[in-house]
Coordinates of all heavy atoms in Angstrom, one line a residue:
K1 N -36.6 -5.8 58.8 CA -37.2 -7.1 58.7 C -36.9 -8.0 59.9 O -37.6 -9.0 60.2 CB -36.9 -7.8 57.4 CG -37.5 -7.2 56.2 CD -37.3 -8.0 55.0 CE -38.0 -7.3 53.8 NZ -38.1 -8.2 52.6
V2 N -35.8 -7.7 60.6 CA -35.4 -8.5 61.8 C -35.7 -7.8 63.1 O -35.4 -8.4 64.2 CB -33.9 -9.0 61.7 CG1 -33.7 -9.8 60.5 CG2 -33.0 -7.8 61.7
K3 N -36.2 -6.6 63.1 CA -36.5 -5.9 64.3 C -37.4 -6.7 65.3 O -37.1 -6.8 66.5 CB -37.2 -4.5 64.0 CG -37.5 -3.7 65.2 CD -38.2 -2.4 64.9 CE -38.5 -1.7 66.1 NZ -39.5 -0.6 65.9
S4 N -38.5 -7.3 64.7 CA -39.4 -8.0 65.6 C -38.7 -9.3 66.2 O -39.0 -9.6 67.3 CB -40.6 -8.5 64.8 OG -40.3 -9.3 63.7
Q5 N -37.8 -9.9 65.4 CA -37.0 -11.0 66.0 C -36.1 -10.6 67.2 O -36.1 -11.3 68.2 CB -36.1 -11.7 64.9 CG -36.9 -12.3 63.8 CD -36.0 -12.8 62.7 OE1 -35.0 -13.5 62.9 NE2 -36.4 -12.5 61.4
L6 N -35.5 -9.4 67.0 CA -34.6 -8.9 68.1 C -35.5 -8.6 69.3 O -35.2 -8.9 70.5 CB -33.8 -7.7 67.7 CG -32.9 -7.1 68.7 CD1 -31.8 -8.1 69.2 CD2 -32.2 -5.9 68.2
E7 N -36.6 -7.9 69.1 CA -37.5 -7.5 70.2 C -38.0 -8.7 70.9 O -38.1 -8.7 72.2 CB -38.7 -6.7 69.6 CG -38.3 -5.3 69.2 CD -39.4 -4.5 68.5 OE1 -40.4 -5.1 68.0 OE2 -39.3 -3.3 68.5
E8 N -38.3 -9.8 70.2 CA -38.8 -11.0 70.9 C -37.6 -11.6 71.7 O -37.9 -12.0 72.9 CB -39.2 -12.0 69.8 CG -39.8 -13.3 70.4 CD -40.3 -14.2 69.3 OE1 -40.8 -13.8 68.3 OE2 -40.2 -15.5 69.5
K9 N -36.4 -11.6 71.2 CA -35.3 -12.2 72.0 C -35.0 -11.3 73.2 O -34.6 -11.8 74.3 CB -34.1 -12.3 71.1 CG -34.2 -13.4 70.1 CD -32.9 -13.5 69.2 CE -33.1 -14.5 68.1 NZ -32.8 -15.9 68.5
E10 N -35.1 -10.0 73.1 CA -34.7 -9.1 74.1 C -35.9 -8.9 75.1 O -35.7 -8.4 76.2 CB -34.3 -7.7 73.6 CG -32.9 -7.7 73.0 CD -31.9 -7.8 74.2 OE1 -31.7 -6.8 74.9 OE2 -31.2 -8.8 74.3
G11 N -37.1 -9.2 74.7 CA -38.3 -9.0 75.5 C -38.7 -7.6 75.7 O -39.2 -7.2 76.7
K12 N -38.4 -6.7 74.7 CA -38.7 -5.3 74.8 C -38.9 -4.8 73.3 O -38.5 -5.4 72.4 CB -37.7 -4.5 75.6 CG -36.3 -4.5 75.0 CD -35.4 -3.6 75.9 CE -34.0 -3.6 75.3 NZ -33.1 -2.9 76.2
T13 N -39.5 -3.6 73.2 CA -39.6 -2.9 71.9 C -38.6 -1.8 71.8 O -38.2 -1.2 72.8 CB -41.0 -2.4 71.7 OG1 -41.3 -1.5 72.7 CG2 -42.0 -3.5 71.7
F14 N -38.2 -1.5 70.6 CA -37.3 -0.4 70.4 C -38.0 0.7 69.6 O -38.5 0.5 68.5 CB -36.1 -0.9 69.5 CG -35.3 -1.9 70.3 CD1 -35.4 -3.3 70.0 CD2 -34.3 -1.6 71.2 CE1 -34.6 -4.2 70.6 CE2 -33.6 -2.5 71.9 CZ -33.7 -3.8 71.6
D15 N -38.1 1.9 70.2 CA -38.7 3.0 69.5 C -37.8 3.5 68.4 O -38.3 4.0 67.4 CB -38.9 4.2 70.5 CG -40.0 3.8 71.5 OD1 -40.9 3.0 71.2 OD2 -39.9 4.3 72.7
V16 N -36.5 3.4 68.6 CA -35.5 3.8 67.6 C -34.8 2.5 67.1 O -34.4 1.7 67.9 CB -34.4 4.8 68.2 CG1 -33.4 5.1 67.2 CG2 -35.1 6.0 68.7
F17 N -34.7 2.3 65.8 CA -34.1 1.2 65.2 C -33.6 1.5 63.9 O -34.2 1.4 62.9 CB -35.1 0.0 65.2 CG -34.5 -1.3 65.0 CD1 -34.0 -2.0 66.1 CD2 -34.4 -1.9 63.7 CE1 -33.4 -3.3 65.9 CE2 -33.8 -3.2 63.5 CZ -33.3 -3.9 64.6
T18 N -32.4 2.1 63.8 CA -31.8 2.7 62.6 C -30.4 2.0 62.3 O -29.5 2.2 63.1 CB -31.6 4.2 62.7 OG1 -32.9 4.8 63.2 CG2 -31.2 4.8 61.4
A19 N -30.3 1.4 61.2 CA -29.0 0.9 60.7 C -28.1 2.0 60.4 O -28.5 2.9 59.6 CB -29.2 -0.1 59.6
V20 N -26.9 2.0 60.9 CA -25.9 3.1 60.6 C -24.7 2.6 59.8 O -24.0 3.4 59.3 CB -25.5 3.8 61.9 CG1 -26.7 4.6 62.5 CG2 -24.9 2.9 62.9
E21 N -24.5 1.3 59.8 CA -23.3 0.7 59.1 C -23.6 -0.8 58.9 O -24.3 -1.4 59.7 CB -22.1 0.9 60.0 CG -20.8 0.4 59.4 CD -19.6 0.6 60.3 OE1 -19.7 1.3 61.3 OE2 -18.6 0.0 60.0
F22 N -23.0 -1.3 57.8 CA -23.1 -2.7 57.6 C -21.9 -3.3 56.8 O -21.3 -2.5 56.1 CB -24.4 -3.1 56.9 CG -24.5 -2.9 55.5 CD1 -24.2 -3.9 54.6 CD2 -24.8 -1.7 54.9 CE1 -24.2 -3.7 53.2 CE2 -24.8 -1.5 53.6 CZ -24.5 -2.5 52.7
K23 N -21.7 -4.6 57.0 CA -20.7 -5.3 56.2 C -21.3 -6.6 55.8 O -22.3 -7.1 56.4 CB -19.4 -5.6 57.1 CG -18.7 -4.4 57.5 CD -17.5 -4.8 58.4 CE -16.7 -3.5 58.7 NZ -15.5 -3.9 59.5
T24 N -20.8 -7.2 54.7 CA -21.4 -8.5 54.3 C -20.3 -9.5 54.3 O -19.1 -9.2 54.2 CB -22.0 -8.4 52.9 OG1 -21.0 -7.9 52.0 CG2 -23.1 -7.4 52.9
Q25 N -20.7 -10.8 54.3 CA -19.8 -11.9 54.2 C -20.6 -13.0 53.4 O -21.7 -13.4 53.8 CB -19.5 -12.5 55.6 CG -18.6 -13.7 55.6 CD -18.5 -14.3 57.0 OE1 -19.4 -14.3 57.8 NE2 -17.3 -14.8 57.2
V26 N -20.0 -13.3 52.3 CA -20.7 -14.3 51.4 C -20.3 -15.7 51.9 O -19.1 -16.1 52.1 CB -20.3 -14.2 49.9 CG1 -20.9 -15.3 49.1 CG2 -20.7 -12.8 49.4
V27 N -21.3 -16.5 52.2 CA -21.2 -17.9 52.6 C -22.2 -18.7 51.7 O -22.3 -18.3 50.6 CB -21.5 -18.1 54.1 CG1 -20.4 -17.4 55.0 CG2 -22.8 -17.4 54.5
A28 N -22.8 -19.7 52.2 CA -23.9 -20.3 51.4 C -25.1 -19.5 51.6 O -26.1 -19.9 52.2 CB -24.1 -21.8 51.9
G29 N -25.1 -18.3 51.1 CA -26.0 -17.2 51.4 C -25.2 -16.0 51.7 O -24.0 -15.9 51.4
T30 N -25.7 -15.1 52.5 CA -25.0 -13.8 52.9 C -25.3 -13.5 54.3 O -26.4 -13.5 54.8 CB -25.5 -12.6 52.0 OG1 -25.3 -13.0 50.6 CG2 -24.6 -11.4 52.4
N31 N -24.2 -13.3 55.1 CA -24.2 -12.8 56.4 C -24.1 -11.3 56.3 O -23.2 -10.7 55.7 CB -23.1 -13.3 57.3 CG -23.3 -14.7 57.8 OD1 -24.5 -15.1 58.1 ND2 -22.3 -15.5 57.8
Y32 N -25.0 -10.6 57.0 CA -25.0 -9.1 57.1 C -24.6 -8.8 58.6 O -25.3 -9.3 59.5 CB -26.3 -8.5 56.8 CG -26.6 -8.6 55.3 CD1 -27.4 -9.7 54.8 CD2 -26.2 -7.7 54.4 CE1 -27.7 -9.8 53.5 CE2 -26.5 -7.8 53.0 CZ -27.3 -8.8 52.6 OH -27.6 -9.0 51.3
F33 N -23.6 -8.0 58.8 CA -23.2 -7.5 60.1 C -23.7 -6.1 60.1 O -23.2 -5.3 59.4 CB -21.7 -7.7 60.3 CG -21.3 -9.1 60.3 CD1 -20.9 -9.7 59.1 CD2 -21.3 -9.9 61.4 CE1 -20.6 -11.1 59.0 CE2 -20.9 -11.2 61.4 CZ -20.6 -11.8 60.2
I34 N -24.6 -5.7 61.0 CA -25.3 -4.4 61.0 C -25.2 -3.8 62.3 O -25.5 -4.3 63.3 CB -26.8 -4.6 60.6 CG1 -26.9 -5.4 59.3 CG2 -27.4 -3.2 60.4 CD1 -28.3 -5.9 59.0
K35 N -24.7 -2.5 62.3 CA -24.7 -1.7 63.5 C -26.0 -0.9 63.5 O -26.3 -0.2 62.6 CB -23.5 -0.7 63.5 CG -23.4 0.1 64.8 CD -22.3 1.2 64.7 CE -20.9 0.5 64.7 NZ -19.8 1.6 64.8
V36 N -26.7 -1.1 64.6 CA -28.1 -0.5 64.7 C -28.1 0.4 65.9 O -27.8 0.0 67.0 CB -29.2 -1.6 64.8 CG1 -30.5 -1.0 65.0 CG2 -29.1 -2.5 63.6
H37 N -28.6 1.7 65.7 CA -28.8 2.6 66.8 C -30.2 2.3 67.4 O -31.2 2.2 66.6 CB -28.8 4.0 66.2 CG -29.1 5.1 67.3 ND1 -29.9 6.1 67.0 CD2 -28.6 5.2 68.5 CE1 -30.0 6.9 68.1 NE2 -29.2 6.3 69.1
V38 N -30.3 2.0 68.7 CA -31.5 1.6 69.3 C -32.0 2.6 70.3 O -32.9 2.3 71.2 CB -31.4 0.2 70.0 CG1 -31.3 -0.9 68.9 CG2 -30.3 0.1 71.0
G39 N -31.5 3.8 70.3 CA -31.9 4.9 71.2 C -30.8 5.4 72.1 O -29.9 4.7 72.4
N40 N -31.0 6.6 72.5 CA -30.0 7.3 73.3 C -28.6 7.1 72.7 O -28.4 7.4 71.6 CB -30.0 6.8 74.8 CG -31.4 7.1 75.4 OD1 -32.0 8.2 75.2 ND2 -31.9 6.1 76.1
D41 N -27.6 6.7 73.5 CA -26.3 6.4 73.0 C -26.1 4.9 72.9 O -24.9 4.4 72.9 CB -25.2 7.0 73.9 CG -25.2 8.5 73.9 OD1 -25.6 9.1 72.8 OD2 -24.8 9.1 74.9
E42 N -27.1 4.1 72.7 CA -27.0 2.7 72.7 C -27.1 2.2 71.2 O -27.9 2.6 70.4 CB -28.2 2.0 73.4 CG -28.2 2.3 74.9 CD -29.3 1.6 75.6 OE1 -29.5 0.4 75.4 OE2 -30.0 2.3 76.4
F43 N -26.2 1.2 71.0 CA -26.1 0.5 69.7 C -26.0 -1.0 69.9 O -25.6 -1.4 71.0 CB -24.8 1.0 68.9 CG -24.9 2.4 68.5 CD1 -24.7 3.5 69.4 CD2 -25.2 2.7 67.2 CE1 -24.8 4.8 68.9 CE2 -25.3 4.0 66.7 CZ -25.1 5.1 67.6
M44 N -26.5 -1.7 68.9 CA -26.3 -3.2 68.9 C -25.7 -3.6 67.6 O -25.9 -2.9 66.6 CB -27.7 -3.8 69.1 CG -28.3 -3.5 70.5 SD -29.9 -4.3 70.7 CE -29.5 -5.8 71.5
H45 N -25.0 -4.7 67.6 CA -24.5 -5.3 66.4 C -25.3 -6.5 66.1 O -25.4 -7.4 67.0 CB -23.0 -5.6 66.5 CG -22.1 -4.4 66.7 ND1 -20.8 -4.4 66.8 CD2 -22.4 -3.0 66.7 CE1 -20.3 -3.2 66.8 NE2 -21.3 -2.3 66.8
L46 N -25.8 -6.6 64.9 CA -26.6 -7.8 64.5 C -25.9 -8.6 63.5 O -25.3 -8.0 62.6 CB -28.0 -7.3 64.0 CG -28.8 -6.3 64.7 CD1 -30.1 -6.0 64.0 CD2 -29.0 -6.7 66.2
R47 N -26.1 -9.9 63.5 CA -25.7 -10.7 62.4 C -26.9 -11.4 61.8 O -27.6 -12.1 62.5 CB -24.8 -11.8 63.0 CG -24.3 -12.8 61.9 CD -23.3 -13.8 62.5 NE -23.0 -14.8 61.6 CZ -22.3 -15.9 61.9 NH1 -21.8 -16.1 63.1 NH2 -22.1 -16.8 61.0
V48 N -27.2 -11.0 60.6 CA -28.4 -11.4 59.9 C -28.1 -12.3 58.7 O -27.2 -11.9 58.0 CB -29.2 -10.2 59.4 CG1 -30.5 -10.6 58.6 CG2 -29.6 -9.3 60.6
F49 N -28.7 -13.4 58.6 CA -28.4 -14.3 57.5 C -29.5 -14.3 56.5 O -30.7 -14.4 56.8 CB -28.3 -15.8 58.0 CG -28.0 -16.8 57.0 CD1 -26.8 -16.8 56.3 CD2 -29.0 -17.7 56.5 CE1 -26.5 -17.7 55.3 CE2 -28.7 -18.6 55.5 CZ -27.5 -18.6 54.9
E50 N -29.1 -14.2 55.2 CA -30.0 -14.2 54.1 C -29.6 -15.5 53.3 O -28.5 -15.6 52.8 CB -29.9 -13.0 53.2 CG -30.8 -13.0 52.0 CD -30.6 -11.7 51.1 OE1 -29.5 -11.3 50.9 OE2 -31.7 -11.2 50.7
S51 N -30.6 -16.4 53.2 CA -30.3 -17.6 52.4 C -30.2 -17.4 50.9 O -30.6 -16.3 50.5 CB -31.3 -18.7 52.8 OG -32.6 -18.3 52.3
L52 N -29.8 -18.4 50.2 CA -29.8 -18.3 48.8 C -31.2 -18.1 48.2 O -32.1 -18.7 48.8 CB -29.1 -19.5 48.2 CG -27.6 -19.7 48.5 CD1 -27.1 -21.0 48.1 CD2 -26.8 -18.5 47.9
P53 N -31.4 -17.4 47.1 CA -32.7 -17.1 46.6 C -33.6 -18.4 46.4 O -34.8 -18.4 46.7 CB -32.4 -16.4 45.3 CG -31.1 -15.8 45.4 CD -30.3 -16.8 46.3
H54 N -33.0 -19.5 45.9 CA -33.8 -20.7 45.6 C -34.3 -21.4 46.8 O -35.2 -22.2 46.8 CB -33.0 -21.7 44.7 CG -31.9 -22.4 45.5 ND1 -30.7 -21.8 45.6 CD2 -31.9 -23.6 46.1 CE1 -29.9 -22.7 46.3 NE2 -30.7 -23.7 46.6
E55 N -33.8 -21.0 48.0 CA -34.2 -21.6 49.3 C -35.5 -20.9 49.8 O -36.2 -21.5 50.6 CB -33.1 -21.6 50.3 CG -32.0 -22.4 50.0 CD -30.9 -22.4 51.0 OE1 -30.7 -21.3 51.7 OE2 -30.1 -23.4 51.1
N56 N -35.8 -19.7 49.3 CA -37.0 -19.0 49.6 C -37.3 -18.9 51.1 O -38.4 -19.2 51.5 CB -38.2 -19.6 48.8 CG -39.3 -18.7 48.7 OD1 -39.1 -17.4 48.8 ND2 -40.5 -19.2 48.6
K57 N -36.3 -18.6 51.9 CA -36.4 -18.4 53.3 C -36.3 -17.0 53.7 O -35.6 -16.2 53.1 CB -35.3 -19.2 54.1 CG -35.4 -20.7 53.9 CD -34.3 -21.4 54.6 CE -34.4 -22.9 54.5 NZ -33.2 -23.6 55.1
P58 N -37.0 -16.6 54.8 CA -36.9 -15.2 55.2 C -35.6 -14.9 55.9 O -34.8 -15.8 56.3 CB -38.1 -15.1 56.2 CG -38.2 -16.5 56.8 CD -37.9 -17.4 55.6
L59 N -35.3 -13.6 56.0 CA -34.1 -13.1 56.7 C -34.2 -13.6 58.1 O -35.3 -13.7 58.7 CB -34.0 -11.6 56.7 CG -33.7 -10.9 55.4 CD1 -33.7 -9.4 55.7 CD2 -32.3 -11.3 54.9
S60 N -33.0 -14.0 58.7 CA -33.1 -14.5 60.1 C -32.0 -13.8 60.9 O -30.9 -13.7 60.4 CB -33.0 -16.0 60.2 OG -31.7 -16.4 59.7
L61 N -32.4 -13.4 62.1 CA -31.4 -12.9 63.1 C -30.6 -14.0 63.6 O -31.2 -14.8 64.4 CB -32.1 -12.1 64.2 CG -31.3 -11.5 65.3 CD1 -30.3 -10.5 64.7 CD2 -32.1 -10.9 66.3
H62 N -29.3 -14.1 63.3 CA -28.5 -15.3 63.7 C -28.0 -15.0 65.1 O -28.1 -15.9 66.0 CB -27.4 -15.5 62.7 CG -26.5 -16.7 63.1 ND1 -25.4 -16.6 63.9 CD2 -26.6 -17.9 62.7 CE1 -24.9 -17.8 64.0 NE2 -25.6 -18.6 63.3
S63 N -27.4 -13.9 65.4 CA -26.9 -13.5 66.7 C -26.8 -12.0 66.8 O -26.9 -11.3 65.8 CB -25.6 -14.2 67.0 OG -24.7 -13.9 66.0
Y64 N -26.5 -11.5 68.0 CA -26.4 -10.1 68.2 C -25.5 -9.8 69.4 O -25.3 -10.7 70.3 CB -27.7 -9.4 68.3 CG -28.6 -9.8 69.5 CD1 -28.6 -9.1 70.6 CD2 -29.4 -10.9 69.4 CE1 -29.3 -9.4 71.7 CE2 -30.2 -11.3 70.5 CZ -30.1 -10.5 71.6 OH -30.9 -10.9 72.7
Q65 N -25.0 -8.6 69.4 CA -24.2 -8.1 70.6 C -24.8 -6.8 71.1 O -25.0 -5.9 70.3 CB -22.7 -7.9 70.2 CG -22.0 -9.1 69.7 CD -20.7 -8.8 69.1 OE1 -20.4 -7.7 68.6 NE2 -19.8 -9.8 69.1
R66 N -25.1 -6.8 72.4 CA -25.7 -5.5 72.9 C -24.6 -4.7 73.6 O -23.4 -5.1 73.6 CB -26.8 -5.9 73.9 CG -26.4 -6.7 75.1 CD -27.5 -6.9 76.0 NE -28.4 -7.9 75.6 CZ -28.6 -9.0 76.2 NH1 -28.1 -9.2 77.4 NH2 -29.4 -10.0 75.7
S67 N -25.0 -3.6 74.1 CA -24.1 -2.7 74.9 C -22.9 -2.2 74.0 O -21.8 -2.2 74.5 CB -23.6 -3.3 76.2 OG -24.7 -3.7 77.0
K68 N -23.2 -1.8 72.8 CA -22.2 -1.3 71.9 C -22.3 0.2 71.9 O -23.4 0.8 72.1 CB -22.3 -1.9 70.5 CG -22.1 -3.4 70.4 CD -20.6 -3.6 70.7 CE -20.2 -5.1 70.5 NZ -18.8 -5.3 70.6
A69 N -21.2 0.9 71.5 CA -21.2 2.4 71.4 C -21.0 2.7 69.9 O -20.6 1.9 69.1 CB -20.1 3.0 72.2
K70 N -21.3 4.0 69.6 CA -21.3 4.4 68.2 C -19.9 4.2 67.6 O -19.8 3.8 66.4 CB -21.6 5.9 68.1 CG -21.7 6.4 66.7 CD -22.2 7.9 66.7 CE -22.3 8.3 65.2 NZ -22.9 9.7 65.2
H71 N -18.8 4.4 68.4 CA -17.5 4.3 67.9 C -16.9 2.8 67.8 O -15.9 2.6 67.3 CB -16.5 5.1 68.7 CG -16.4 4.7 70.1 ND1 -17.3 5.1 71.1 CD2 -15.6 3.8 70.7 CE1 -17.0 4.5 72.3 NE2 -15.9 3.7 72.0
D72 N -17.7 1.8 68.4 CA -17.2 0.5 68.4 C -17.1 -0.1 67.0 O -18.1 0.1 66.2 CB -18.1 -0.4 69.2 CG -18.0 -0.2 70.7 OD1 -17.0 0.3 71.1 OD2 -18.9 -0.6 71.4
E73 N -16.1 -0.7 66.6 CA -15.9 -1.3 65.3 C -16.8 -2.4 65.0 O -17.0 -3.3 65.9 CB -14.4 -1.8 65.1 CG -14.2 -2.3 63.7 CD -12.8 -2.8 63.5 OE1 -11.9 -2.7 64.4 OE2 -12.6 -3.4 62.5
L74 N -17.4 -2.4 63.9 CA -18.3 -3.5 63.5 C -17.4 -4.6 62.9 O -16.8 -4.4 61.9 CB -19.3 -3.0 62.4 CG -20.3 -3.9 61.9 CD1 -21.2 -4.5 63.0 CD2 -21.2 -3.3 60.8
A75 N -17.4 -5.7 63.6 CA -16.5 -6.8 63.2 C -17.3 -8.1 63.0 O -18.5 -8.2 63.5 CB -15.5 -7.0 64.3
Y76 N -16.8 -9.0 62.3 CA -17.4 -10.3 62.1 C -17.5 -11.0 63.4 O -16.5 -11.1 64.2 CB -16.7 -11.1 61.0 CG -16.6 -10.4 59.7 CD1 -15.4 -9.9 59.2 CD2 -17.7 -10.3 58.9 CE1 -15.3 -9.2 58.0 CE2 -17.7 -9.6 57.7 CZ -16.4 -9.1 57.2 OH -16.4 -8.5 56.0
F77 N -18.6 -11.6 63.7 CA -18.8 -12.5 64.9 C -19.7 -13.6 64.6 O -20.4 -13.7 63.6 CB -19.3 -11.6 66.1 CG -20.6 -11.0 65.9 CD1 -21.8 -11.6 66.3 CD2 -20.7 -9.7 65.3 CE1 -23.0 -11.0 66.2 CE2 -22.0 -9.1 65.2 CZ -23.1 -9.8 65.6

């Protein structure tokens, strides 16, 4: 659901976009930290926010880190 948001921020499209790991953090909603394979040996770490159900807002890409490798630890950021 956030692929198009990332593609817009990066100014390119991703043929490969596969989540391989995630962690959650409960705040006033939920932060998802997701390691995504974007092709070749390239990975990105995404921070996606899901608001509380009563707010009825879509998932939003809060921030991301590029140039990650498969073995890089997925950490809160």
Side-chain angles (χ1 to χ4, degrees):
K1 293 189 177 192
V2 297
K3 179 183 179 193
S4 61
Q5 293 177 46
L6 180 63
E7 289 175 337
E8 185 177 323
K9 289 179 186 279
E10 283 289 292
K12 63 181 179 181
T13 58
F14 297 101
D15 294 329
V16 176
F17 197 82
T18 308
V20 295
E21 181 182 349
F22 78 96
K23 293 181 179 181
T24 60
Q25 176 187 40
V26 177
V27 289
T30 305
N31 282 322
Y32 292 93
F33 298 89
I34 308 167
K35 182 185 293 186
V36 177
H37 179 224
V38 293
N40 299 319
D41 291 331
E42 294 182 52
F43 290 79
M44 297 179 93
H45 292 181
L46 312 183
R47 179 176 168 189
V48 176
F49 179 71
E50 179 179 44
S51 63
L52 295 171
H54 73 275
E55 294 179 331
N56 200 25
K57 294 181 181 175
L59 289 175
S60 64
L61 177 63
H62 183 272
S63 56
Y64 63 96
Q65 298 173 334
R66 63 176 77 120
S67 301
K68 294 292 187 173
K70 185 176 185 174
H71 65 271
D72 288 340
E73 181 181 353
L74 182 59
Y76 300 109
F77 61 93

